[in-house]
Amino acid sequence: MTANLLDFDLEGLAVFCEGLGEKRFRATQLFRWVHQRGMSQFDDMSDLAKSLREKLKVHAHVAALPILSQQISKDGTIKWLFDVGSGDAVETVFIPEDDRGTLCVSSQAGCAVGCRFCSTGHQGFSRNLNTAEILAQLWFAEHFLRKHLNQSERVISNVVMMGMGEPLQNYSALIPALKAMLDDHGYGLSRRRVTVSTSGVVPMMTRLSQDCPVALAVSLHAPNDALRDNLVPLNRKYPLDELLAECTHYLAKAPRDFITFEYCMLQGVNDQIEHAQQLVQLIKRHAAQGLRCKFNLIPFNPFKESGLLRSADATVAKFAAILIEAGFVTTIRKTRGDDIDAACGQLAGDVKDRTDVAHRIAQQRAVPVQWLQQRPQPSDGKP
Ligand code: SAH
Ligand code: SF4
């Protein structure tokens, strides 16, 4: 087995080069050929010594993931389905906008968190992706798009870890991938333009702030623990007060002076005026400790197994108005690529469930939607 060079950040590649008896600075040249130029053939890397190229041919390779499908939406969004072996496949989405190009990257085949409203979660969990499988999504997309759009400059300006999986449950593979995204010899993205989205793995948020503090989005979805326990089962381990206290700590290292809270709008479940008021109370309590945030309301993208419905536009607008009135910057996410099932929460890939997640979700569904639709108590929401 030779090493896939997409598995390394620059430091890792330097160690690899040293192992081949080469000077560390060779790694910088090699890293640039691979990530900035999109090269995979060592013979094309003209400023590398022939002796190094020969060694690389024996000990290394640069391999993208096999593509199972590519779909292009009428709004320009592109979705790829990549084969990661053993019957598992993951999805990656490119979202073009006037002032940026965003790539939504997957971190796991499936997800073990099992959120009730997420189609990845409904599929269960197969395995973590390795660094090469995470970075290969960006490597392929960037260099494919440059050719496709006939552009010599960088196409992808932003990366969001919002594809399939919970990135902070795959921490050791995630960090080198993030470092390669940020590295000036790699993709050179600023820390503000790389976002990790998490359902709230609190101890790993602490580590991320120390190891690689990129922009942070936290999937909140409920204003009280009773409801969040049901929508995002991880809340039973890391309840709201603990999660929000960690968000406040994260800000000390964050590249932006706010955390983005994502809130998926589910008809009758978490979208009522009382929920918005309770959310305001909750966040204001933490704002007094230094929490700064923005809200991003995501209209739910339905899939049939969920049994849930998207909130009406007027309900979303009313909810947003309450947050704005309370002084919180609030946006409503535009749905992109829904004609190719590429919108948030629709990424399902193809996952062989090797855990009991699908079983747990079936149990969750035993909690009827009617229960979820109970009005929140006006208190701090503790059950
Ligand atoms: N696991 C991470 C990142 C992947 S999910 C997380 O949960 O944050 C990316 C975003 O899509 C999250 O905010 C998630 O809550 C949201 N999402 C999941 N399912 C959705 C759906 N069906 N409709 C709209 N948004 C959804
Ligand atoms: Fe996993 Fe995120 Fe989906 Fe929850 S919303 S199941 S954490 S991918």
Side-chain angles (χ1 to χ4, degrees), residues 216-256:
L216 188 68
V218 171
S219 295
L220 213 54
H221 310 309
N224 64 65
D225 284 320
L227 183 56
R228 196 165 190 272
D229 282 352
N230 270 283
L231 295 176
V232 184
L234 195 65
N235 194 68
R236 295 176 200 150
K237 200 160 178 193
Y238 306 114
L240 277 168
D241 274 333
E242 214 177 298
L243 173 60
L244 296 175
E246 183 48 43
C247 289
T248 308
H249 288 146
Y250 193 90
L251 283 172
K253 297 279 179 59
R256 294 180 180 271

Side-chain angles (χ1 to χ4, degrees), residues 145-304:
L145 288 164
R146 280 189 206 176
K147 284 194 207 101
H148 179 69
L149 303 171
N150 200 13
Q151 208 169 303
S152 56
E153 292 298 294
R154 179 166 75 187
V155 177
I156 295 168
S157 60
N158 294 59
V159 171
V160 292
M161 296 302 304
M162 292 188 185
M164 295 166 65
E166 169 47 59
L168 294 187
Q169 286 188 338
N170 186 14
Y171 192 78
S172 59
L174 175 72
I175 295 298
L178 294 178
K179 288 191 170 161
M181 293 173 196
L182 302 180
D183 202 303
D184 283 340
H185 300 293
Y187 298 87
L189 300 176
S190 84
R191 292 194 291 131
R192 305 158 62 88
R193 288 175 175 271
V194 175
T195 301
V196 167
S197 176
T198 180
S199 54
V201 191
V202 168
M204 293 299 143
M205 289 164 63
T206 317
R207 285 187 56 189
L208 186 67
S209 73
Q210 294 156 355
D211 297 338
C212 195
V214 293
L216 188 68
V218 171
S219 295
L220 213 54
H221 310 309
N224 64 65
D225 284 320
L227 183 56
R228 196 165 190 272
D229 282 352
N230 270 283
L231 295 176
V232 184
L234 195 65
N235 194 68
R236 295 176 200 150
K237 200 160 178 193
Y238 306 114
L240 277 168
D241 274 333
E242 214 177 298
L243 173 60
L244 296 175
E246 183 48 43
C247 289
T248 308
H249 288 146
Y250 193 90
L251 283 172
K253 297 279 179 59
R256 294 180 180 271
D257 56 4
F258 60 87
I259 304 287
T260 303
F261 288 133
E262 294 161 288
Y263 196 101
C264 179
M265 299 293 290
L266 303 164
Q267 186 182 83
V269 171
N270 65 355
D271 65 350
Q272 300 296 297
I273 288 173
E274 292 90 333
H275 294 110
Q277 289 166 338
Q278 203 177 55
L279 190 56
V280 167
Q281 280 175 27
L282 175 73
I283 302 300
K284 280 199 165 162
R285 193 152 50 75
H286 284 269
Q289 312 301 316
L291 180 59
R292 298 285 170 269
C293 67
K294 284 187 181 171
F295 283 97
N296 192 1
L297 305 181
I298 315 173
F300 171 59
N301 292 307
F303 57 99
K304 67 176 183 324

Side-chain angles (χ1 to χ4, degrees), residues 101-157:
T102 303
L103 194 72
C104 179
V105 171
S106 291
S107 56
Q108 298 180 309
C111 182
V113 177
C115 299
R116 189 175 174 132
F117 49 84
C118 172
S119 79
T120 304
H122 273 253
Q123 288 195 307
F125 177 68
S126 179
R127 68 170 177 88
N128 281 328
L129 300 187
N130 58 36
T131 300
E133 290 165 330
I134 297 173
L135 264 185
Q137 298 170 62
L138 174 58
W139 183 75
F140 167 80
E142 173 63 34
H143 297 291
F144 166 85
L145 288 164
R146 280 189 206 176
K147 284 194 207 101
H148 179 69
L149 303 171
N150 200 13
Q151 208 169 303
S152 56
E153 292 298 294
R154 179 166 75 187
V155 177
I156 295 168
S157 60

